[in-house]
Amino acid sequence: MLEYWNAWQISDPTQDFKASQRAAAALLVASRKPGGAPYDFFLVHVLTTSHAVRILLPLLPPKYHVPLVRQWWLLTLSVYIAQLRPEIMLSSVSDYDLKGRDWEWVNKQAIEAKHALDAHYVKGLRAMKTAAQTWGDDDRFYLKAAVRFGHEFDGWGGFGSSSKEGAQPSDSKYA
């Protein structure tokens, strides 16, 4: 794992972190086969922690920027490996049909949908929206990822082979 961690040579911290946030969204959304198992509870944390890092960076002295991003990358690799390195199918996001849905639709899902009281669901949607606002979204990758996630979400998985599909982190088995 350390070989992969050390392989990321950060030459342009802003652009490199921009790419890593896109990768975090892809890891959550594009690793789920359409109609497959529930979204992975641990992979959403890769996305939401990337959002937290983006919020923290402007508040920290510059000498801590690259070390913080590298530590986040180590967390990302650890989670990816622990979740058995799911295949990332970028076309499941890039080719996703929005069917006229936009960020207003995503906002409505976060506030009014069946899972609006699931904080992790809402934070996942928000992280993708703010990444799009921060970095731009000319190819609508973040929008497509958020719409797909918002439309298909029906509980969390990723708790191991013995976990029940669609389990919630608040279920007594996982509390």
mmCIF file of all heavy atoms in Angstrom, residues 79-115:
data_model
loop_
_atom_site.group_PDB
_atom_site.id
_atom_site.type_symbol
_atom_site.label_atom_id
_atom_site.label_comp_id
_atom_site.label_asym_id
_atom_site.label_seq_id
_atom_site.Cartn_x
_atom_site.Cartn_y
_atom_site.Cartn_z
ATOM 1 N N VAL A 79 -9.162 2.467 2.548
ATOM 2 C CA VAL A 79 -10.579 2.114 2.401
ATOM 3 C C VAL A 79 -10.797 1.326 1.120
ATOM 4 O O VAL A 79 -11.502 0.310 1.114
ATOM 5 C CB VAL A 79 -11.468 3.374 2.453
ATOM 6 C CG1 VAL A 79 -12.909 3.062 2.065
ATOM 7 C CG2 VAL A 79 -11.407 4.010 3.833
ATOM 8 N N TYR A 80 -10.206 1.771 0.029
ATOM 9 C CA TYR A 80 -10.351 1.086 -1.257
ATOM 10 C C TYR A 80 -9.884 -0.370 -1.152
ATOM 11 O O TYR A 80 -10.570 -1.293 -1.598
ATOM 12 C CB TYR A 80 -9.570 1.844 -2.334
ATOM 13 C CG TYR A 80 -9.619 1.208 -3.692
ATOM 14 C CD1 TYR A 80 -10.807 1.178 -4.419
ATOM 15 C CD2 TYR A 80 -8.482 0.653 -4.267
ATOM 16 C CE1 TYR A 80 -10.857 0.601 -5.680
ATOM 17 C CE2 TYR A 80 -8.530 0.078 -5.521
ATOM 18 C CZ TYR A 80 -9.714 0.052 -6.226
ATOM 19 O OH TYR A 80 -9.759 -0.524 -7.475
ATOM 20 N N ILE A 81 -8.754 -0.586 -0.529
ATOM 21 C CA ILE A 81 -8.227 -1.942 -0.374
ATOM 22 C C ILE A 81 -9.100 -2.748 0.592
ATOM 23 O O ILE A 81 -9.431 -3.908 0.328
ATOM 24 C CB ILE A 81 -6.757 -1.905 0.078
ATOM 25 C CG1 ILE A 81 -5.887 -1.359 -1.061
ATOM 26 C CG2 ILE A 81 -6.283 -3.287 0.522
ATOM 27 C CD1 ILE A 81 -4.478 -0.988 -0.648
ATOM 28 N N ALA A 82 -9.494 -2.139 1.701
ATOM 29 C CA ALA A 82 -10.337 -2.840 2.682
ATOM 30 C C ALA A 82 -11.678 -3.253 2.082
ATOM 31 O O ALA A 82 -12.239 -4.278 2.475
ATOM 32 C CB ALA A 82 -10.562 -1.964 3.903
ATOM 33 N N GLN A 83 -12.145 -2.490 1.122
ATOM 34 C CA GLN A 83 -13.416 -2.811 0.477
ATOM 35 C C GLN A 83 -13.198 -3.697 -0.758
ATOM 36 O O GLN A 83 -14.067 -3.805 -1.609
ATOM 37 C CB GLN A 83 -14.178 -1.541 0.125
ATOM 38 C CG GLN A 83 -14.595 -0.734 1.352
ATOM 39 C CD GLN A 83 -15.323 -1.568 2.387
ATOM 40 O OE1 GLN A 83 -14.726 -2.066 3.336
ATOM 41 N NE2 GLN A 83 -16.615 -1.734 2.218
ATOM 42 N N LEU A 84 -12.045 -4.331 -0.810
ATOM 43 C CA LEU A 84 -11.698 -5.337 -1.825
ATOM 44 C C LEU A 84 -11.565 -4.763 -3.231
ATOM 45 O O LEU A 84 -11.899 -5.412 -4.213
ATOM 46 C CB LEU A 84 -12.700 -6.498 -1.786
ATOM 47 C CG LEU A 84 -12.854 -7.149 -0.413
ATOM 48 C CD1 LEU A 84 -13.917 -8.239 -0.465
ATOM 49 C CD2 LEU A 84 -11.529 -7.697 0.089
ATOM 50 N N ARG A 85 -11.066 -3.533 -3.308
ATOM 51 C CA ARG A 85 -10.730 -2.878 -4.566
ATOM 52 C C ARG A 85 -11.830 -2.995 -5.624
ATOM 53 O O ARG A 85 -11.639 -3.600 -6.678
ATOM 54 C CB ARG A 85 -9.418 -3.426 -5.105
ATOM 55 C CG ARG A 85 -8.260 -3.194 -4.161
ATOM 56 C CD ARG A 85 -6.996 -3.814 -4.632
ATOM 57 N NE ARG A 85 -7.203 -5.240 -4.890
ATOM 58 C CZ ARG A 85 -6.361 -6.014 -5.528
ATOM 59 N NH1 ARG A 85 -5.248 -5.537 -5.977
ATOM 60 N NH2 ARG A 85 -6.633 -7.287 -5.726
ATOM 61 N N PRO A 86 -12.987 -2.402 -5.358
ATOM 62 C CA PRO A 86 -14.083 -2.513 -6.330
ATOM 63 C C PRO A 86 -13.712 -1.895 -7.676
ATOM 64 O O PRO A 86 -12.964 -0.911 -7.728
ATOM 65 C CB PRO A 86 -15.221 -1.733 -5.672
ATOM 66 C CG PRO A 86 -14.543 -0.801 -4.721
ATOM 67 C CD PRO A 86 -13.317 -1.530 -4.246
ATOM 68 N N GLU A 87 -14.213 -2.510 -8.726
ATOM 69 C CA GLU A 87 -13.993 -1.982 -10.068
ATOM 70 C C GLU A 87 -14.706 -0.644 -10.204
ATOM 71 O O GLU A 87 -15.851 -0.482 -9.777
ATOM 72 C CB GLU A 87 -14.538 -2.962 -11.108
ATOM 73 C CG GLU A 87 -14.384 -2.486 -12.524
ATOM 74 C CD GLU A 87 -14.999 -3.433 -13.545
ATOM 75 O OE1 GLU A 87 -15.597 -4.457 -13.145
ATOM 76 O OE2 GLU A 87 -14.884 -3.129 -14.736
ATOM 77 N N ILE A 88 -14.031 0.314 -10.803
ATOM 78 C CA ILE A 88 -14.609 1.644 -11.019
ATOM 79 C C ILE A 88 -14.973 1.758 -12.496
ATOM 80 O O ILE A 88 -14.092 1.720 -13.358
ATOM 81 C CB ILE A 88 -13.619 2.751 -10.600
ATOM 82 C CG1 ILE A 88 -13.260 2.587 -9.126
ATOM 83 C CG2 ILE A 88 -14.209 4.131 -10.869
ATOM 84 C CD1 ILE A 88 -12.087 3.421 -8.679
ATOM 85 N N MET A 89 -16.260 1.858 -12.769
ATOM 86 C CA MET A 89 -16.773 1.911 -14.137
ATOM 87 C C MET A 89 -17.183 3.349 -14.458
ATOM 88 O O MET A 89 -18.343 3.724 -14.279
ATOM 89 C CB MET A 89 -17.951 0.950 -14.280
ATOM 90 C CG MET A 89 -17.574 -0.496 -13.942
ATOM 91 S SD MET A 89 -18.993 -1.535 -13.514
ATOM 92 C CE MET A 89 -19.432 -0.869 -11.905
ATOM 93 N N LEU A 90 -16.208 4.152 -14.893
ATOM 94 C CA LEU A 90 -16.469 5.579 -15.116
ATOM 95 C C LEU A 90 -17.614 5.828 -16.081
ATOM 96 O O LEU A 90 -18.354 6.804 -15.926
ATOM 97 C CB LEU A 90 -15.199 6.274 -15.611
ATOM 98 C CG LEU A 90 -14.112 6.469 -14.560
ATOM 99 C CD1 LEU A 90 -12.868 7.076 -15.182
ATOM 100 C CD2 LEU A 90 -14.615 7.329 -13.414
ATOM 101 N N SER A 91 -17.799 4.941 -17.047
ATOM 102 C CA SER A 91 -18.881 5.140 -18.016
ATOM 103 C C SER A 91 -20.254 5.085 -17.353
ATOM 104 O O SER A 91 -21.215 5.654 -17.871
ATOM 105 C CB SER A 91 -18.794 4.111 -19.151
ATOM 106 O OG SER A 91 -18.975 2.798 -18.638
ATOM 107 N N SER A 92 -20.364 4.433 -16.182
ATOM 108 C CA SER A 92 -21.657 4.394 -15.496
ATOM 109 C C SER A 92 -22.029 5.776 -14.954
ATOM 110 O O SER A 92 -23.192 6.012 -14.618
ATOM 111 C CB SER A 92 -21.655 3.355 -14.367
ATOM 112 O OG SER A 92 -20.857 3.779 -13.284
ATOM 113 N N VAL A 93 -21.071 6.662 -14.906
ATOM 114 C CA VAL A 93 -21.348 8.057 -14.540
ATOM 115 C C VAL A 93 -21.324 8.923 -15.791
ATOM 116 O O VAL A 93 -22.277 9.645 -16.071
ATOM 117 C CB VAL A 93 -20.346 8.586 -13.495
ATOM 118 C CG1 VAL A 93 -20.571 10.075 -13.236
ATOM 119 C CG2 VAL A 93 -20.459 7.804 -12.196
ATOM 120 N N SER A 94 -20.257 8.856 -16.557
ATOM 121 C CA SER A 94 -20.126 9.751 -17.714
ATOM 122 C C SER A 94 -21.234 9.555 -18.748
ATOM 123 O O SER A 94 -21.634 10.514 -19.410
ATOM 124 C CB SER A 94 -18.751 9.588 -18.366
ATOM 125 O OG SER A 94 -18.572 8.269 -18.823
ATOM 126 N N ASP A 95 -21.762 8.334 -18.883
ATOM 127 C CA ASP A 95 -22.832 8.058 -19.842
ATOM 128 C C ASP A 95 -24.226 8.093 -19.207
ATOM 129 O O ASP A 95 -25.209 7.770 -19.865
ATOM 130 C CB ASP A 95 -22.625 6.680 -20.480
ATOM 131 C CG ASP A 95 -21.340 6.589 -21.292
ATOM 132 O OD1 ASP A 95 -20.777 7.642 -21.654
ATOM 133 O OD2 ASP A 95 -20.897 5.453 -21.551
ATOM 134 N N TYR A 96 -24.302 8.481 -17.944
ATOM 135 C CA TYR A 96 -25.584 8.459 -17.241
ATOM 136 C C TYR A 96 -26.536 9.492 -17.837
ATOM 137 O O TYR A 96 -26.161 10.646 -18.076
ATOM 138 C CB TYR A 96 -25.367 8.737 -15.743
ATOM 139 C CG TYR A 96 -26.591 8.489 -14.917
ATOM 140 C CD1 TYR A 96 -26.970 7.197 -14.561
ATOM 141 C CD2 TYR A 96 -27.388 9.541 -14.494
ATOM 142 C CE1 TYR A 96 -28.109 6.959 -13.804
ATOM 143 C CE2 TYR A 96 -28.525 9.318 -13.726
ATOM 144 C CZ TYR A 96 -28.883 8.030 -13.390
ATOM 145 O OH TYR A 96 -30.010 7.803 -12.639
ATOM 146 N N ASP A 97 -27.773 9.089 -18.081
ATOM 147 C CA ASP A 97 -28.793 9.965 -18.649
ATOM 148 C C ASP A 97 -29.457 10.768 -17.533
ATOM 149 O O ASP A 97 -30.135 10.197 -16.666
ATOM 150 C CB ASP A 97 -29.834 9.121 -19.394
ATOM 151 C CG ASP A 97 -30.882 9.958 -20.095
ATOM 152 O OD1 ASP A 97 -30.829 11.219 -20.036
ATOM 153 O OD2 ASP A 97 -31.782 9.355 -20.716
ATOM 154 N N LEU A 98 -29.272 12.057 -17.545
ATOM 155 C CA LEU A 98 -29.839 12.921 -16.512
ATOM 156 C C LEU A 98 -31.366 13.041 -16.602
ATOM 157 O O LEU A 98 -32.010 13.389 -15.607
ATOM 158 C CB LEU A 98 -29.220 14.319 -16.592
ATOM 159 C CG LEU A 98 -27.757 14.405 -16.191
ATOM 160 C CD1 LEU A 98 -27.189 15.780 -16.535
ATOM 161 C CD2 LEU A 98 -27.590 14.107 -14.710
ATOM 162 N N LYS A 99 -31.929 12.784 -17.761
ATOM 163 C CA LYS A 99 -33.381 12.864 -17.967
ATOM 164 C C LYS A 99 -33.939 14.194 -17.459
ATOM 165 O O LYS A 99 -34.985 14.237 -16.815
ATOM 166 C CB LYS A 99 -34.085 11.683 -17.295
ATOM 167 C CG LYS A 99 -33.684 10.345 -17.887
ATOM 168 C CD LYS A 99 -34.386 9.191 -17.213
ATOM 169 C CE LYS A 99 -33.880 7.898 -17.834
ATOM 170 N NZ LYS A 99 -34.387 6.713 -17.159
ATOM 171 N N GLY A 100 -33.199 15.262 -17.725
ATOM 172 C CA GLY A 100 -33.656 16.603 -17.356
ATOM 173 C C GLY A 100 -33.413 16.985 -15.903
ATOM 174 O O GLY A 100 -33.736 18.099 -15.505
ATOM 175 N N ARG A 101 -32.855 16.084 -15.115
ATOM 176 C CA ARG A 101 -32.628 16.385 -13.701
ATOM 177 C C ARG A 101 -31.380 17.262 -13.559
ATOM 178 O O ARG A 101 -30.408 17.093 -14.283
ATOM 179 C CB ARG A 101 -32.499 15.093 -12.894
ATOM 180 C CG ARG A 101 -33.825 14.309 -12.882
ATOM 181 C CD ARG A 101 -33.674 12.942 -12.295
ATOM 182 N NE ARG A 101 -32.963 12.087 -13.241
ATOM 183 C CZ ARG A 101 -32.881 10.770 -13.142
ATOM 184 N NH1 ARG A 101 -33.442 10.144 -12.116
ATOM 185 N NH2 ARG A 101 -32.230 10.065 -14.029
ATOM 186 N N ASP A 102 -31.442 18.176 -12.619
ATOM 187 C CA ASP A 102 -30.369 19.141 -12.430
ATOM 188 C C ASP A 102 -30.039 19.247 -10.944
ATOM 189 O O ASP A 102 -30.501 18.444 -10.130
ATOM 190 C CB ASP A 102 -30.767 20.500 -13.011
ATOM 191 C CG ASP A 102 -32.061 21.047 -12.412
ATOM 192 O OD1 ASP A 102 -32.573 20.494 -11.406
ATOM 193 O OD2 ASP A 102 -32.585 22.038 -12.950
ATOM 194 N N TRP A 103 -29.249 20.271 -10.575
ATOM 195 C CA TRP A 103 -28.873 20.432 -9.177
ATOM 196 C C TRP A 103 -30.072 20.736 -8.299
ATOM 197 O O TRP A 103 -30.089 20.387 -7.118
ATOM 198 C CB TRP A 103 -27.786 21.491 -9.015
ATOM 199 C CG TRP A 103 -26.454 20.998 -9.470
ATOM 200 C CD1 TRP A 103 -25.718 21.454 -10.536
ATOM 201 C CD2 TRP A 103 -25.686 19.937 -8.882
ATOM 202 N NE1 TRP A 103 -24.560 20.735 -10.645
ATOM 203 C CE2 TRP A 103 -24.510 19.791 -9.629
ATOM 204 C CE3 TRP A 103 -25.886 19.084 -7.798
ATOM 205 C CZ2 TRP A 103 -23.529 18.855 -9.345
ATOM 206 C CZ3 TRP A 103 -24.915 18.134 -7.502
ATOM 207 C CH2 TRP A 103 -23.759 18.033 -8.266
ATOM 208 N N GLU A 104 -31.090 21.349 -8.849
ATOM 209 C CA GLU A 104 -32.311 21.593 -8.062
ATOM 210 C C GLU A 104 -32.962 20.264 -7.683
ATOM 211 O O GLU A 104 -33.442 20.089 -6.566
ATOM 212 C CB GLU A 104 -33.273 22.478 -8.872
ATOM 213 C CG GLU A 104 -34.260 23.248 -8.033
ATOM 214 C CD GLU A 104 -33.636 24.021 -6.879
ATOM 215 O OE1 GLU A 104 -32.649 24.744 -7.055
ATOM 216 O OE2 GLU A 104 -34.162 23.872 -5.756
ATOM 217 N N TRP A 105 -32.952 19.313 -8.603
ATOM 218 C CA TRP A 105 -33.477 17.975 -8.316
ATOM 219 C C TRP A 105 -32.644 17.309 -7.219
ATOM 220 O O TRP A 105 -33.190 16.693 -6.304
ATOM 221 C CB TRP A 105 -33.483 17.121 -9.586
ATOM 222 C CG TRP A 105 -34.062 15.760 -9.381
ATOM 223 C CD1 TRP A 105 -35.368 15.391 -9.507
ATOM 224 C CD2 TRP A 105 -33.347 14.571 -8.996
ATOM 225 N NE1 TRP A 105 -35.500 14.054 -9.214
ATOM 226 C CE2 TRP A 105 -34.284 13.527 -8.896
ATOM 227 C CE3 TRP A 105 -32.012 14.297 -8.724
ATOM 228 C CZ2 TRP A 105 -33.928 12.226 -8.544
ATOM 229 C CZ3 TRP A 105 -31.653 12.997 -8.368
ATOM 230 C CH2 TRP A 105 -32.596 11.984 -8.277
ATOM 231 N N VAL A 106 -31.331 17.449 -7.310
ATOM 232 C CA VAL A 106 -30.441 16.872 -6.295
ATOM 233 C C VAL A 106 -30.740 17.494 -4.929
ATOM 234 O O VAL A 106 -30.846 16.786 -3.921
ATOM 235 C CB VAL A 106 -28.954 17.059 -6.684
ATOM 236 C CG1 VAL A 106 -28.030 16.621 -5.559
ATOM 237 C CG2 VAL A 106 -28.638 16.305 -7.977
ATOM 238 N N ASN A 107 -30.878 18.820 -4.891
ATOM 239 C CA ASN A 107 -31.218 19.508 -3.635
ATOM 240 C C ASN A 107 -32.507 18.951 -3.044
ATOM 241 O O ASN A 107 -32.598 18.719 -1.832
ATOM 242 C CB ASN A 107 -31.380 21.012 -3.858
ATOM 243 C CG ASN A 107 -30.072 21.690 -4.164
ATOM 244 O OD1 ASN A 107 -29.004 21.157 -3.933
ATOM 245 N ND2 ASN A 107 -30.172 22.885 -4.724
ATOM 246 N N LYS A 108 -33.496 18.744 -3.903
ATOM 247 C CA LYS A 108 -34.786 18.230 -3.438
ATOM 248 C C LYS A 108 -34.625 16.825 -2.853
ATOM 249 O O LYS A 108 -35.264 16.496 -1.850
ATOM 250 C CB LYS A 108 -35.792 18.231 -4.584
ATOM 251 C CG LYS A 108 -37.200 17.944 -4.154
ATOM 252 C CD LYS A 108 -38.183 18.152 -5.290
ATOM 253 C CE LYS A 108 -39.586 17.896 -4.779
ATOM 254 N NZ LYS A 108 -40.586 18.124 -5.782
ATOM 255 N N GLN A 109 -33.770 16.001 -3.459
ATOM 256 C CA GLN A 109 -33.527 14.662 -2.919
ATOM 257 C C GLN A 109 -32.932 14.746 -1.520
ATOM 258 O O GLN A 109 -33.301 13.991 -0.628
ATOM 259 C CB GLN A 109 -32.585 13.865 -3.833
ATOM 260 C CG GLN A 109 -33.121 13.596 -5.215
ATOM 261 C CD GLN A 109 -34.507 12.982 -5.188
ATOM 262 O OE1 GLN A 109 -34.702 11.882 -4.696
ATOM 263 N NE2 GLN A 109 -35.484 13.717 -5.691
ATOM 264 N N ALA A 110 -32.014 15.674 -1.350
ATOM 265 C CA ALA A 110 -31.349 15.816 -0.050
ATOM 266 C C ALA A 110 -32.306 16.297 1.034
ATOM 267 O O ALA A 110 -32.132 15.971 2.205
ATOM 268 C CB ALA A 110 -30.171 16.785 -0.173
ATOM 269 N N ILE A 111 -33.329 17.030 0.642
ATOM 270 C CA ILE A 111 -34.238 17.623 1.621
ATOM 271 C C ILE A 111 -35.533 16.828 1.799
ATOM 272 O O ILE A 111 -36.029 16.687 2.911
ATOM 273 C CB ILE A 111 -34.568 19.082 1.223
ATOM 274 C CG1 ILE A 111 -33.293 19.925 1.270
ATOM 275 C CG2 ILE A 111 -35.646 19.683 2.112
ATOM 276 C CD1 ILE A 111 -33.436 21.285 0.645
ATOM 277 N N GLU A 112 -36.045 16.261 0.706
ATOM 278 C CA GLU A 112 -37.388 15.677 0.758
ATOM 279 C C GLU A 112 -37.465 14.182 0.457
ATOM 280 O O GLU A 112 -38.516 13.582 0.687
ATOM 281 C CB GLU A 112 -38.303 16.408 -0.233
ATOM 282 C CG GLU A 112 -38.457 17.888 0.048
ATOM 283 C CD GLU A 112 -39.265 18.606 -1.024
ATOM 284 O OE1 GLU A 112 -39.822 17.928 -1.915
ATOM 285 O OE2 GLU A 112 -39.332 19.839 -0.964
ATOM 286 N N ALA A 113 -36.435 13.599 -0.068
ATOM 287 C CA ALA A 113 -36.515 12.198 -0.497
ATOM 288 C C ALA A 113 -36.584 11.246 0.691
ATOM 289 O O ALA A 113 -36.388 11.633 1.848
ATOM 290 C CB ALA A 113 -35.313 11.848 -1.379
ATOM 291 N N LYS A 114 -36.850 10.014 0.381
ATOM 292 C CA LYS A 114 -36.988 8.956 1.388
ATOM 293 C C LYS A 114 -35.798 8.896 2.345
ATOM 294 O O LYS A 114 -35.949 8.626 3.536
ATOM 295 C CB LYS A 114 -37.145 7.623 0.652
ATOM 296 C CG LYS A 114 -37.158 6.398 1.510
ATOM 297 C CD LYS A 114 -37.264 5.147 0.629
ATOM 298 C CE LYS A 114 -37.111 3.878 1.441
ATOM 299 N NZ LYS A 114 -37.136 2.685 0.577
ATOM 300 N N HIS A 115 -34.607 9.185 1.855
ATOM 301 C CA HIS A 115 -33.391 9.063 2.666
ATOM 302 C C HIS A 115 -32.853 10.416 3.155
ATOM 303 O O HIS A 115 -31.706 10.502 3.578
ATOM 304 C CB HIS A 115 -32.318 8.310 1.876
ATOM 305 C CG HIS A 115 -32.734 6.930 1.535
ATOM 306 N ND1 HIS A 115 -32.778 5.918 2.466
ATOM 307 C CD2 HIS A 115 -33.176 6.397 0.374
ATOM 308 C CE1 HIS A 115 -33.205 4.813 1.890
ATOM 309 N NE2 HIS A 115 -33.454 5.073 0.627
#
